[in-house]
Amino acid sequence: MNTLSSALRTASLILAGALLAVSAQAQQKLVPAQSEIAFASKQMGVSVDGHFKKFDAQIAFDPAKPEASKIAFAIDMGSATLGAPESDAELPKPNWFNVPKFPQAMFQSGAVKKLSPGKYEVAGKLSIKGQVRDVVVPVALSQAGAVTTAIGAFAIKRLAFKIGENEWADTSMVADDVQVKFKLALTGVGKF
């Protein structure tokens, strides 16, 4: 009887610990007002900067076990802006983001690796306009109080995602290289 009781108590403690760990990760939240996702390219040799006004994230990051972390993003492609009404009116159209058919871009992590204190590498799948590509994203984390800030940047080739089709596929007009930059404020991340 004591052995069964002890085994049940041990199993209950393990289950409670697992539920607390899942609960702690489930409480990790993106703070949109302190976060941004931006992009930069060149059009006829001139830098063009834009950003997305709406995006969300599902994050379960464990600083003690980064390899067990899961990160997913959904970006509202209709929220893209270059800051000029005539350009913004073009972005949702089929040649560019084709928002009616592909309203969201998605990122899903496959692996998270710690490189050094506060520095990580996140590998995953980026899906834009129905095209899925592998990306590796370097991320630097810092903490101030209850907020963890993740900063990073990576490059994509816009034509690999069919962004800027037909007459806009000419890379002398709009460069193929696009730099994606982000600053994400998160709450609920444990100390690292």
Side-chain angles (χ1 to χ4, degrees):
M1 180 95 171
N2 278 345
T3 305
L4 180 59
S5 177
S6 177
L8 286 173
R9 193 173 312 121
T10 301
S12 295
L13 289 173
I14 290 170
L15 181 60
L19 289 174
L20 283 173
V22 168
S23 174
Q25 288 181 349
Q27 292 176 0
Q28 294 177 357
K29 300 253 188 244
L30 179 71
V31 183
Q34 297 174 32
S35 302
E36 61 185 38
I37 297 177
F39 55 93
S41 183
K42 289 194 174 183
Q43 185 172 350
M44 296 188 299
V46 177
S47 292
V48 177
D49 296 324
H51 68 275
F52 295 97
K53 295 185 254 182
K54 294 181 186 174
F55 49 91
D56 196 14
Q58 307 299 315
I59 298 169
F61 177 73
D62 183 351
K65 293 167 125 184
E67 64 281 355
S69 301
K70 300 286 182 208
I71 301 162
F73 276 91
I75 300 169
D76 179 348
M77 298 305 281
S79 75
T81 179
L82 294 169
E86 62 277 0
S87 297
D88 290 355
E90 292 299 314
L91 291 177
K93 293 182 178 177
N95 280 339
W96 292 99
F97 293 144
N98 197 356
V99 172
K101 189 171 180 185
F102 304 102
Q104 291 186 323
M106 307 290 288
F107 173 79
Q108 178 65 56
S109 67
V112 179
K113 180 167 84 173
K114 182 176 182 176
L115 302 176
S116 62
K119 307 273 189 214
Y120 298 85
E121 185 177 84
V122 180
K125 304 269 185 201
L126 178 62
S127 172
I128 303 173
K129 217 175 161 184
Q131 306 302 304
V132 180
R133 300 288 182 264
D134 291 322
V135 294
V136 177
V137 182
V139 179
L141 296 181
S142 61
Q143 291 182 318
V147 177
T148 299
T149 303
I151 296 174
F154 62 99
I156 63 168
K157 299 286 189 186
R158 70 175 176 89
L159 294 176
F161 292 98
K162 296 187 176 182
I163 299 169
E165 294 183 89
N166 300 316
E167 70 269 21
W168 296 107
D170 179 358
T171 57
S172 69
M173 292 289 290
V174 179
D176 195 20
D177 294 322
V178 177
Q179 188 77 8
V180 179
K181 303 176 221 173
F182 59 88
K183 180 181 96 170
L184 306 170
L186 309 166
T187 59
V189 177
K191 296 288 179 197
F192 54 88

